Amino acid sequence: MFNIILFGPPGSGKGTQSEKLIEKYGLVHLSTGNLLRSEIDAQTPLGLEAKSLMDKGQLVPDEVVIGMISSALDANANAKGFLFDGFPRTEAQSEALDSLLKLKKSEIGVVLALEVGEEELVKRLLNRGLTSGRSDDTNESVIRARIVEYKRKTTVVADYYARFNKVKTIKGEGSVEEIFSALCSEINKRLS
Ligand code: AP5
Ligand code: MG
């Protein structure tokens, strides 16, 4: 099993690149943002609780997302590997993920960290907000709150995996194809 974390701030291109990577490498895509939005669409109690936090640009509680990831890992027992997108987002989530993978005699192969300047992030998300229907994209103050939350709580995830020498930084500005090819070249190095 080869597992990848695609890491980076809101709007850095995690979702865009994930779609291409899962197709090329046959991985199962696990995006906690997508899983939470499905819960919101289905109007489950979990979705309703998450929505109020997501609309403010704040993280939902660790135990909620860890529970979702744990179920998703069990539901895909025969996966060739997983691509984690938007998870883990705190040190507690990172530790929980490592324990869950260990139970499956597996681990994270690499953390690919997309780097994009803050003004470019805001521009991309405001632009996406024109059509995405995502309530957290529609106004600049929520977009900026998501970036603040990322800096305060999520950058530590890269520090956590750097301790195990697993982080590779990738420039996340340029064309989607250029960035995809840089990501693939890092993955291929580790697969061969
Ligand atoms: P989540 O859904 O994970 O959103 P996010 O991290 O804020 O990031 P985005 O999905 O907005 O951006 P992305 O990096 O995927 O970029 P994309 O490819 O879409 O989380 C949403 C919320 O859910 C959180 O705020 C939190 O409340 C909650 N949540 C989720 N996971 C959680 C967790 N683990 N713990 C706690 N809470 C959690 O691209 C963005 C735009 O840019 C698109 O329009 C795209 O077309 C464009 N674009 C992409 N690449 C390029 C390029 N190279 N050049 C120009 N434009 C580009
Ligand atoms: Mg995304």
Side-chain angles (χ1 to χ4, degrees), residues 8-177:
S12 56
K14 302 184 297 294
T16 304
Q17 297 295 338
S18 289
E19 294 302 327
K20 297 170 71 68
L21 290 169
I22 54 163
E23 194 182 329
K24 177 164 167 125
Y25 294 101
L27 303 171
V28 173
H29 183 198
L30 292 184
S31 155
T32 40
N34 289 349
L35 292 169
L36 289 165
R37 282 183 288 276
S38 301
E39 297 281 339
I40 293 175
D41 290 345
Q43 299 190 322
T44 64
L46 189 160
L48 294 176
E49 184 198 338
K51 183 172 173 19
S52 63
L53 292 163
M54 290 166 76
D55 284 350
K56 285 184 272 190
Q58 294 172 5
L59 295 186
V60 306
D62 286 335
E63 49 285 11
V64 171
V65 286
I66 291 167
M68 288 193 321
I69 288 291
S70 174
S71 309
L73 291 177
D74 290 341
N76 292 282
N78 297 321
K80 271 172 71 181
F82 294 93
L83 176 60
F84 297 95
D85 158 6
F87 179 90
R89 262 172 144 103
T90 63
E91 181 149 328
Q93 291 179 26
S94 310
E95 285 167 354
L97 178 60
D98 282 358
S99 306
L100 289 169
L101 289 175
K102 207 166 187 181
L103 290 173
K104 309 206 177 293
K105 307 212 175 343
S106 189
E107 62 177 356
I108 292 298
V110 67
V111 179
L112 298 168
L114 294 169
E115 284 198 330
V116 176
E118 189 160 333
E119 293 318 305
E120 170 72 11
L121 297 173
V122 174
K123 197 174 88 187
R124 286 184 187 180
L125 293 175
L126 280 172
N127 187 41
R128 186 179 64 186
L130 299 173
T131 52
S132 67
R134 267 181 65 168
S135 54
D136 58 351
D137 281 350
T138 44
N139 83 63
E140 185 166 338
S141 67
V142 175
I143 290 172
R144 295 217 181 256
R146 286 159 62 193
I147 295 172
V148 169
E149 191 84 333
Y150 172 82
K151 288 185 189 159
R152 278 182 54 222
K153 298 186 180 160
T154 303
T155 49
V156 294
V157 169
D159 304 336
Y160 173 88
Y161 286 103
R163 279 188 246 147
F164 308 104
N165 229 343
K166 289 188 174 177
V167 183
K168 180 69 201 173
T169 300
I170 306 278
K171 185 168 161 254
E173 295 188 44
S175 75
V176 169
E177 282 309 322

